[in-house]
Amino acid sequence: MEQLMEQQQKAVIVGVNLNHQQDFEYSMEELANLAEACNVEVVGTVTQNLSRVNTSHYIGTGKLQDVTAMLEAQGGNLVIFNDELSPSQIRNLESDLDVKVIDRTILILDIFGERARTREAQLQVEVAQLQYLLPRLVGLRESLGRQGGGVGTKNKGVGEKKLELDRRRIEEKITILNKELEVLVAHRQTQRKKRKKTGMPVVSLVGYTNAGKSTVMNALVELYTETKDKFVFEKNMLFATLETSVRSIELEGNKNFLLTDTVGFVSKLPHHLVKAFRSTLEEVSEADLLLHVVDCSNPEYEQHIRITNETLKAIGIEEIPMVYVFNKVDLKQDSVPDNDLNTDTVHISAKKKWGIDELISMIRQHIFKDYVQCMMLIPYDQGQLVSYLNENAHVQDTSYESDGTKLTLECRTSDYMKFEHLVVQE
């Protein structure tokens, strides 16, 4: 029955263009895509240019009448607003429109709730949902009475039962969830520390939702691990991946790095979610290199780049080197520039496996630049060092001298410093 109601939802989307924002039209188009991701049919759009939103109803009286007329004409039963609404705005709008009213934030929270697979992601979403709902209990009670099921009320932690809890019990629930989350976060931080001790470089995939980050990860996993059981979920939809995935990529010459993939970004990403997913996004802050994946076939790709960079800045990530990976070149109509390894830009098609070699070359340039070419003479009674260097460096030549094993190799600066007393000149 609930699924049926979800399929029958018909929404009018409403937005206010404050002071002629450049990205307003795109944000409305994106709102429609978010609605479709929740199986909601968008039957109409109402917009208004204002210098500030109407404090009581978000939009003016005339536009409110336009929304009512459109709902009646199209058989709509839901109105979705492009900005976060206050409790009083929800209450007033539902009273005047007599349909369920939700905003962009709860729409994104719904999608996250639907897609969360791991316990950590589920907890993060539930905390964000409850924090959003806490000041809006009164307005949303009206909504629940108006229509059960459907977008805005269907997820774990957001149902009628929880909305009827008093404020104190919801706050207690948030505290309990946060404690459980802290345990999982501490566990992942321990894993990060262990990885850091190995000295293995970390490369993080970042970018707008549906830019193809998971496809890029799978292309590298397939080429450099020879196994498909390490593939991450990929699908052409918004927020296909919420969990942080970590894979070890093994290159020639004993050069390995860890590749991480995490949640994609979107414009006006709710601050509740940014806060809840902060621990997940911290994976990005530990990276030695960021691969900013861009869907260059999307006409709004420049907007996506700006939003991703702004989101990274908002979570305190500014100093990490970044390579722009322009993905989906196979879908572009115009010509694609040749890849130049002297720039921080590479054009690829992860789906078609085009440009992956150039991408790897660019990663090598960035994360293995501290490698040193040298020659070491290792005494025969220190054979364990030969084994260590064979495993952790790129040994190009081995010869056996009267006083030890001579290795021509390329190794990390840290290993060079450690064994500098063994370095010999040609």
Side-chain angles (χ1 to χ4, degrees):
M1 183 65 183
E2 186 178 311
Q3 186 64 33
L4 181 65
M5 297 191 84
E6 280 181 49
Q7 291 170 350
Q8 290 173 340
Q9 283 190 297
K10 294 184 175 182
V12 172
I13 59 174
V14 181
V16 166
N17 187 355
L18 286 173
N19 303 314
H20 304 288
Q21 296 167 346
Q22 285 187 336
D23 61 347
F24 176 71
E25 282 185 20
Y26 177 70
S27 75
M28 288 299 293
E29 183 186 320
E30 188 177 71
L31 185 66
N33 291 336
L34 290 166
E36 285 168 18
C38 282
N39 297 319
V40 174
E41 181 187 351
V42 176
V43 295
T45 302
V46 173
T47 62
Q48 185 171 21
N49 297 322
L50 292 173
S51 57
R52 63 186 180 87
V53 297
N54 185 303
T55 52
S56 65
H57 287 78
Y58 181 75
I59 51 175
T61 310
K63 290 294 180 181
L64 205 58
Q65 290 171 352
D66 291 349
V67 174
T68 302
M70 197 172 283
L71 286 168
E72 288 175 0
Q74 302 294 335
N77 54 12
L78 174 68
V79 182
I80 306 173
F81 287 81
N82 195 31
D83 293 292
E84 195 166 297
L85 299 173
S86 70
S88 60
Q89 285 171 336
I90 293 174
R91 193 163 54 248
N92 295 335
L93 286 164
E94 292 205 324
S95 175
D96 290 353
L97 295 171
D98 199 34
V99 294
K100 186 161 70 169
V101 167
I102 63 169
D103 59 24
R104 185 188 188 94
T105 298
I106 203 164
L107 196 60
I108 294 174
L109 286 170
D110 250 44
I111 297 171
F112 271 58
E114 191 77 20
R115 308 274 160 81
R117 292 289 175 268
T118 66
R119 181 59 182 158
E120 185 178 7
Q122 288 165 353
L123 286 169
Q124 286 169 326
V125 174
E126 193 170 350
V127 167
Q129 288 168 334
L130 290 172
Q131 285 173 335
Y132 170 84
L133 291 168
L134 195 54
R136 295 171 173 79
L137 293 176
V138 177
L140 285 164
R141 278 199 187 97
E142 300 290 325
S143 176
L144 286 165
R146 193 165 272 110
Q147 179 183 332
V151 65
T153 57
K154 67 187 178 185
N155 290 320
K156 300 167 190 171
V158 189
E160 186 168 359
K161 183 181 173 187
K162 281 200 173 71
L163 284 181
E164 294 304 324
L165 295 174
D166 61 29
R167 193 174 304 277
R168 183 174 56 80
R169 287 180 64 193
I170 287 187
E171 287 171 345
E172 287 172 359
K173 178 69 173 171
I174 290 172
T175 303
I176 290 166
L177 292 173
N178 273 329
K179 281 181 180 173
E180 188 179 344
L181 198 50
E182 281 170 17
V183 173
L184 294 174
V185 169
H187 177 64
R188 194 146 45 75
Q189 284 173 341
T190 303
Q191 289 179 321
R192 276 213 301 269
K193 282 178 186 172
K194 284 181 181 174
R195 292 204 300 263
K196 212 164 187 178
K197 276 184 181 177
T198 66
M200 199 181 291
V202 177
V203 177
S204 264
L205 293 158
V206 297
Y208 211 75
T209 182
N210 207 28
K213 295 183 298 300
S214 297
T215 311
V216 172
M217 178 175 244
N218 286 341
L220 294 176
V221 166
E222 184 175 7
L223 287 172
Y224 293 97
T225 63
E226 298 180 356
T227 175
K228 291 191 178 184
D229 60 358
K230 293 289 186 183
F231 275 14
V232 295
F233 178 70
E234 61 176 82
K235 192 172 180 181
N236 183 23
M237 65 181 184
L238 298 175
F239 301 116
T241 307
L242 296 187
E243 288 75 36
T244 298
S245 303
V246 182
R247 299 290 183 269
S248 178
I249 305 296
E250 299 176 10
L251 305 178
E252 293 173 1
N254 288 330
K255 288 182 179 174
N256 305 336
F257 66 91
L258 293 172
L259 185 65
T260 69
D261 176 29
T262 188
V263 62
F265 301 138
V266 70
S267 66
K268 300 184 183 179
L269 191 63
H271 69 274
H272 305 280
L273 270 180
V274 173
K275 190 177 175 185
F277 273 77
R278 185 170 288 277
S279 60
T280 302
L281 296 171
E282 279 173 7
E283 290 282 353
V284 181
S285 68
E286 301 283 336
D288 299 287
L289 175 68
L290 300 182
L291 299 183
H292 184 157
V293 183
V294 180
D295 175 2
C296 63
S297 70
N298 190 310
E300 305 289 342
Y301 76 88
E302 289 180 350
Q303 182 82 349
H304 294 177
I305 291 172
R306 184 181 64 77
I307 290 164
T308 299
N309 286 336
E310 284 175 359
T311 308
L312 288 169
K313 189 176 179 180
I315 57 177
I317 297 168
E318 294 183 75
E319 303 300 322
I320 302 172
M322 181 184 288
V323 167
Y324 287 91
V325 182
F326 287 94
N327 188 28
K328 305 188 184 182
V329 295
D330 54 309
L331 302 179
K332 273 179 69 73
Q333 302 301 317
D334 47 350
S335 61
V336 178
D338 291 332
N339 285 322
D340 181 357
L341 296 182
N342 294 317
T343 67
D344 285 332
T345 301
V346 61
H347 295 80
I348 72 164
S349 168
K351 206 79 177 170
K352 303 276 188 181
K353 309 290 191 300
W354 298 345
I356 300 299
D357 287 343
E358 287 97 330
L359 174 59
I360 285 293
S361 295
M362 202 161 278
I363 292 170
R364 277 178 177 271
Q365 278 181 199
H366 277 274
I367 62 174
F368 299 120
K369 60 186 176 187
D370 69 336
Y371 271 57
V372 179
Q373 182 80 31
C374 65
M375 193 179 289
M376 292 186 188
L377 183 64
I378 299 164
Y380 287 118
D381 62 355
Q382 295 181 40
Q384 74 278 6
L385 288 185
V386 176
S387 300
Y388 173 85
L389 291 167
N390 274 312
E391 286 178 19
N392 295 281
H394 181 205
V395 176
Q396 296 151 336
D397 185 61
T398 304
S399 62
Y400 301 97
E401 310 293 322
S402 58
D403 46 356
T405 307
K406 185 185 279 187
L407 301 179
T408 304
L409 55 90
E410 187 184 30
C411 66
R412 293 190 197 98
T413 302
S414 57
D415 282 337
Y416 178 85
M417 302 292 283
K418 198 188 301 182
F419 307 122
E420 194 172 5
H421 60 288
L422 299 173
V423 173
V424 294
Q425 302 302 319
E426 286 190 57

